[in-house]
Amino acid sequence: MTIYNIALIGFGGVNRALAELIATKNHLWERDLGFRLNIVAVSDLHLGSVISPNGLDAKTLVEANFAKGGFGQLSGGSSEADNETIIKTAPADIVVEATFTNPKDGEPAVSHCRWALQTGKHVVTTNKGPVAIAARELKSLAGANGVRFEYEGSVMSGTPVIRMAEKTLAGAEVTGFEGILNGTSNFVLGRMEGGLDFAAAVKEAQQLGYAEADPTADVEGFDVRLKVVILANELLGANLKPEDVTCKGISDLSPSDIEAAAKANSRWKLIGSAVRAEDGKVTGSVAPKRLALEHPLAAVNGATNAVSLNTELLGAVTITGPGAGRIETAYALLSDIVAIHAAGKSAVTKEAA
Ligand SMILES: NC(=O)c1ccc[n+]([C@@H]2O[C@H](COP(=O)([O-])OP(=O)(O)OC[C@H]3O[C@@H](n4cnc5c(N)ncnc54)[C@H](O)[C@@H]3O)[C@@H](O)[C@H]2O)c1
Ligand SMILES: N[C@@H](CCO)C(=O)O
């Protein structure tokens, strides 16, 4: 049985949910997946940082109601978030990056990932910044250091779109995609259809843990733009940057726009899409679209996401599932660790053969 020591960078909704899963499910993972997880360090902007080589009790971490700088009270703790020291020196096999997504340059998360990979630690992340902005560099750094950079939760939370497209649809030749890729804006549009005003709907999405720290990223389309870049670069072989993707959000949609759509048997949805042209050029866009009720994406409600992948050999293949949520996104981190574990096992098998 394998024990993976993990360092959590950011201890907000998602990493706290991962700690919750560790507290309740480690024994099942040990039995069913062949490993258990041991938290050896945590660093959070608000709470400070702590290293404990023998491991921190996940249940205590989740249940203790730490105040600002509260990790300073723990043995091996400090009231400051010293991410660089934690990432470089904690005895971790895997660094779990779940700090705020910075849609402009991906920092400081890009540096967090770099420090981890450079010091021979795997990285799993739900943070869209480093993946959209620096995936090529980080994947090559991971390869050079014999570790992995995994980021399933950066698109569609725990719903396995990236791995599904790359592994299960290998050879089907994806030529484009369109989808609902932001849980918050989809939730907000649905609540507005029910008569709630925009600001109140955004507040609900924040309370439910769907929204970004700054929900402007959700409602202005910037979050979807990062996801379009990630999927286009990953599945269509593009090399897009966020500024290459045209972007318009939902904040200009008024209650009368929503009402007019309903009267015409249609609904507004924020659609992210990309397509590869015959000459190989990939273009991407984010924009609200009025979809007829019969459109497959029109029935996708709440924080659910869906993406239709257009493939040469199968036609459209649509994947739908949770697009946001704390536990749902923590599951994505687990799925990344399962992938790391499986790759480690196949490396060992190859060596033995
Ligand atoms: N919540 C979701 O549904 C969801 C889904 C997919 C992806 N994500 C992404 O996962 C990441 C985490 O999401 P969340 O919901 O946990 O966010 P959150 O705002 O609840 O938590 C982020 C935590 O990171 C900490 N933090 C911020 N900057 C830091 C820094 N420089 N150093 C150390 N700590 C720092 C904050 O103090 C906070 O506790 C974000 O990048 C988000 O975009 C979230
Ligand atoms: N804020 C994002 C989280 C998932 O990336 C959303 O609402 O979709």
Side-chain angles (χ1 to χ4, degrees), residues 9-15 43-46 81 83 98-101 108 112 126-128 153-154 157 209-213 323-326 329:
I9 309 303
F11 198 58
V14 172
N15 264 349
S43 188
D44 184 273
L45 198 57
H46 180 69
N83 296 333
T99 65
F100 301 146
T101 287
H112 297 162
T126 57
N127 191 323
K128 291 143 273 190
S154 62
S157 177
Y210 304 150
E212 296 303 300
R326 300 178 181 106
T329 311

Side-chain angles (χ1 to χ4, degrees), residues 160-237:
V161 62
I162 297 176
R163 216 165 271 124
M164 163 84 93
E166 283 180 345
K167 304 263 188 263
T168 314
L169 288 178
E173 296 173 43
V174 180
T175 56
F177 61 85
E178 67 166 358
I180 293 172
L181 296 169
N182 181 269
T184 300
S185 54
N186 202 48
F187 175 86
V188 167
L189 288 171
R191 297 295 280 137
M192 286 175 76
E193 286 167 3
L196 200 67
D197 74 63
F198 179 80
V202 171
K203 201 159 183 208
E204 266 191 35
Q206 286 177 299
Q207 282 158 354
L208 289 163
Y210 304 150
E212 296 303 300
D214 175 2
T216 315
D218 296 294
V219 297
E220 296 301 348
F222 309 140
D223 177 76
V224 179
R225 181 161 63 172
L226 295 178
K227 290 164 176 167
V228 167
V229 169
I230 294 170
L231 289 183
N233 291 352
E234 201 73 28
L235 309 184
L236 304 177

Side-chain angles (χ1 to χ4, degrees), residues 68-81:
K68 187 168 170 28
F71 287 168
Q73 300 153 11
L74 302 173
S75 159
S78 152
S79 56
E80 300 298 316

Side-chain angles (χ1 to χ4, degrees), residues 328-346:
E328 294 84 343
T329 311
Y331 170 71
L333 295 169
L334 174 68
S335 78
D336 284 342
I337 295 171
V338 170
I340 288 170
H341 185 64
K345 278 211 302 210
S346 70

